[in-house]
Amino acid sequence: MSEAGSIIQSSSEKPARLQLRGDWTLQHYAHLQAQLTRQPGSADGYSLDLSQLGRLDTAGAALLGRWIGHERLQQLTHSQDLPAERLALLRTVAEALPHIPANARPAKHAAALELLEKIGGAVEGYWKQLRALLGFIGLALESLFLCLFQPRRWRITSLAAHVEQTGLNAIPIIVLLTFMVGAVVAFLGATVLANFGATIYTVHLVAFSFLREFGVLLTAILMAGRTASAFTAQIGSMKANEEIDAIRVLGLNPIELLVLPRILAMMISLPILTFIAMLSGILGGAMVSTLLLDISPTLFLGILQTDVAVKHFYIGLAKAPFFAFIIAIIGCLEGFKSGGSAKSVGDHTTSAVVQSIFMVILLDAVAAMFFMEMGW
């Protein structure tokens, strides 16, 4: 059983002797400190006996060294009959003590300086992330152009598999979500417009919102959460298992093999899913209009045909390839940045989703301002 360290003073001998007993370890650190506070301020006039000393670790040796001084501790390594490993520990602590400041507490900074430091670190991190993203975009475009005119390097099988995973398998969730959102938009729009006797304009609200914004935006956000995370996890796991290193050893290009099929699959799938989302959202709005507003499906379709220009459909659909490209790029980049641990893969997967959603919303806002200024 572990016995707390103690100091026994014997004044019957000349010179007076201090005998160290028990375990001088981190477990008994507080008890040992209390023992030393009851001892004389200096141990210079006493001889030290370590023959009854129990277990000893770095914490106990450092506490002893601070009490008697590093020079005296160094002398003990020559005068005491102790095991070799214990002498080596005391000698190491004695050599290190002179280099440890008396007060090793970290310097305190003003709160304003700490805030500025955190802001500067965050800005630097964002700048590095932007540079990495732009560099990876350039690398992907370079690989795309190099493969474009060499059909033998096209990965048709991989492309088809990723189109199925990112596009075909995502149709149910896209249809369900956009249908429900379309119904909610129609219901809320009708509630507000009824106060002005303009319930019929609920059709315009649903059509404009889903053709220009909601169709592509909701689809892109869903794909960012569903597909960007999958890309990061897949590539991150391959990197953790050293499969990407094996690809390079075989003389293959990881960008061409892993990144391009995913980017092209997203750029094919997202416009198709956006079109489906537009139809589903408008269908949800039409259902609410028919059941609650007494707007027949024929009237609903007639208003769509006469009052809603087809340019709104083109504007919404034109955003889809850009959103798809940035989502796939971020997902693949975070996968290549992940380390060899499961935690690193998980952290970069979360980062890929957050960055993808942020970039999608940012690009959508920029596109909305551009189209507004152009009068489209």
Side-chain angles (χ1 to χ4, degrees):
M1 180 175 291
S2 177
E3 179 185 355
S6 60
I7 303 175
I8 306 300
Q9 181 177 349
S10 174
S11 56
S12 59
E13 302 179 10
K14 298 297 180 179
R17 182 167 60 94
L18 295 176
Q19 187 179 57
L20 275 61
R21 296 181 178 180
D23 297 339
W24 284 59
T25 60
L26 182 61
Q27 180 182 359
H28 307 295
Y29 194 85
H31 174 76
L32 292 171
Q33 278 187 319
Q35 287 272 328
L36 292 178
T37 57
R38 294 193 291 268
Q39 297 303 319
S42 173
D44 292 343
Y46 296 84
S47 64
L48 294 177
D49 181 10
L50 306 184
S51 60
Q52 300 299 319
L53 185 64
R55 291 188 300 167
L56 179 70
D57 63 6
T58 306
L63 187 61
L64 177 62
R66 282 192 290 268
W67 180 49
I68 66 176
H70 67 279
E71 294 181 354
R72 183 81 182 275
L73 185 64
Q74 185 73 36
Q75 295 172 4
L76 287 178
T77 60
H78 301 289
S79 61
Q80 298 290 329
D81 186 15
L82 296 173
E85 65 275 6
R86 191 159 296 175
L87 292 175
L89 175 61
L90 292 174
R91 191 176 299 113
T92 302
V93 171
E95 293 173 354
L97 281 175
H99 306 290
I100 300 177
N103 185 6
R105 295 179 180 177
K108 294 183 178 180
H109 301 287
L113 292 178
E114 291 184 357
L115 178 61
L116 291 175
E117 181 181 358
K118 289 183 178 296
I119 293 174
V123 171
E124 183 182 8
Y126 292 145
W127 172 244
K128 290 182 179 179
Q129 176 65 26
L130 179 60
R131 290 181 57 188
L133 180 60
L134 294 176
F136 196 73
I137 289 174
L139 192 61
L141 291 177
E142 179 190 12
S143 299
L144 178 61
F145 289 135
L146 290 177
C147 298
L148 192 60
F149 302 104
Q150 301 182 40
R152 61 183 181 84
R153 297 172 63 179
W154 295 355
R155 307 286 174 175
I156 303 299
T157 304
S158 178
L159 177 62
H162 287 299
V163 167
E164 179 185 6
Q165 294 172 6
T166 61
L168 185 62
N169 295 343
I171 290 177
I173 186 64
I174 295 291
V175 170
L176 177 62
L177 179 69
T178 52
F179 181 86
M180 295 173 64
V181 172
V184 170
V185 169
F187 181 77
L188 293 178
T191 303
V192 175
L193 293 173
N195 297 327
F196 305 96
T199 308
I200 193 66
Y201 288 102
T202 302
V203 180
H204 301 75
L205 174 63
V206 172
F208 279 114
S209 61
F210 271 89
L211 290 178
R212 292 185 69 102
E213 296 294 337
F214 284 171
V216 64
L217 190 59
L218 290 174
T219 304
I221 290 175
L222 275 176
M223 296 300 283
R226 181 183 182 275
T227 307
S229 59
F231 288 173
T232 303
Q234 291 166 2
I235 296 178
S237 299
M238 293 180 68
K239 187 174 181 182
N241 295 331
E242 299 182 355
E243 295 178 40
I244 294 179
D245 295 333
I247 290 173
R248 291 193 176 99
V249 169
L250 292 173
L252 301 174
N253 184 358
I255 303 296
E256 178 183 334
L257 192 66
L258 302 176
V259 177
L260 292 185
R262 287 173 167 83
I263 293 176
L264 295 176
M266 276 290 292
M267 294 182 69
I268 293 172
S269 301
L270 194 57
I272 298 174
L273 292 175
T274 298
F275 176 71
I276 295 174
M278 292 175 180
L279 295 180
S280 180
I282 293 174
L283 183 61
M287 184 194 71
V288 172
S289 300
T290 301
L291 298 179
L292 300 180
L293 307 179
D294 294 329
I295 300 176
S296 65
T298 304
L299 179 58
F300 192 97
L301 292 175
I303 295 173
L304 283 180
Q305 184 176 2
T306 57
D307 294 351
V308 180
V310 72
K311 68 176 183 180
H312 304 298
F313 168 75
Y314 294 142
I315 288 173
L317 205 61
K319 302 176 188 177
F322 297 98
F323 290 171
F325 181 80
I326 199 67
I327 290 171
I329 280 288
I330 291 175
C332 295
L333 173 60
E334 290 299 315
F336 278 102
K337 287 169 60 179
S338 63
S341 64
K343 181 181 182 302
S344 177
V345 174
D347 291 343
H348 284 283
T349 300
T350 304
S351 177
V353 174
V354 173
Q355 290 183 49
S356 299
I357 294 176
F358 173 79
M359 290 300 299
V360 163
I361 295 175
L362 177 63
L363 290 177
D364 186 69
V366 172
M369 290 187 291
F370 172 76
F371 293 138
M372 182 181 64
E373 291 297 327
M374 296 297 294
W376 295 348

